[in-house]
Amino acid sequence: MAIRVGAVVLRNSEGDVLTVRKQGASLFQLPGGKPEGEESMRETVVREAAEEVGIQLDPAQLEYLGDYTASAANEPGHDVSGAIYTYPSELTQNIAPHSEIRELKWAEPVPDSPGYAPLLATRVFPALERQERLRAGAQSA
């Protein structure tokens, strides 16, 4: 059975994606984590963003990107299944590592980039690329 998580894609004005590296981990991933109690995935994402990078997200602005599954980065032999959301607003709040986060990095969302968790590199980055192509096609039509 896959480990269930919620995570959020946060972008800067250049379109780069905020990634985090947890203490003891070598790969970067999206801010997010496991739900607590009866939390919805949307509630999980809002709580985890506050705990990990110190920002307050408006849950009404979260847009569902999709559910994706890949090998877990920090738990060998397991898969992780993530409900992934995007946040459409450019961040104006101060972002800093909190809790178990060791490092933050803004990443260009290039599929299969080394140094990123499998869920991010092989599922989320390609989904963001498809989303961008669809938006570009819709704007040119």
Side-chain angles (χ1 to χ4, degrees):
M1 186 160 105
I3 300 161
R4 190 76 175 129
V5 299
V8 63
V9 174
L10 303 168
R11 295 186 119 160
N12 63 16
S13 60
E14 289 82 40
D16 294 331
V17 174
L18 180 67
T19 64
V20 300
R21 185 175 62 80
K22 296 184 178 190
Q23 292 183 30
S26 61
L27 300 175
F28 284 85
Q29 58 193 35
L30 293 173
K34 300 171 190 164
E36 293 181 355
E38 298 297 315
E39 263 182 345
S40 70
M41 282 299 162
R42 188 177 296 266
E43 291 166 332
T44 298
V45 165
V46 170
R47 177 184 50 77
E48 289 283 348
E51 288 176 4
E52 293 185 352
V53 296
I55 60 170
Q56 298 300 316
L57 301 179
D58 176 358
Q61 289 193 50
L62 289 170
E63 296 176 0
Y64 180 70
L65 180 66
D67 255 71
Y68 304 95
T69 302
S71 297
N74 299 322
E75 300 185 44
H78 291 88
D79 285 341
V80 63
S81 172
I84 310 299
Y85 294 85
T86 60
Y87 197 71
S89 299
E90 186 179 314
L91 299 176
T92 56
Q93 302 173 53
N94 288 334
I95 299 170
H98 289 74
S99 187
E100 77 268 16
I101 302 305
R102 181 79 173 142
E103 185 180 359
L104 304 178
K105 180 167 83 170
W106 290 98
E108 186 177 348
V110 176
D112 298 314
S113 294
Y116 298 96
L119 182 67
L120 183 56
T122 68
R123 302 297 188 269
V124 177
F125 281 170
L128 293 172
E129 185 177 69
R130 283 190 301 275
Q131 186 181 59
E132 291 297 319
R133 280 197 311 265
L134 288 172
R135 285 184 180 156
Q139 289 176 354
S140 65

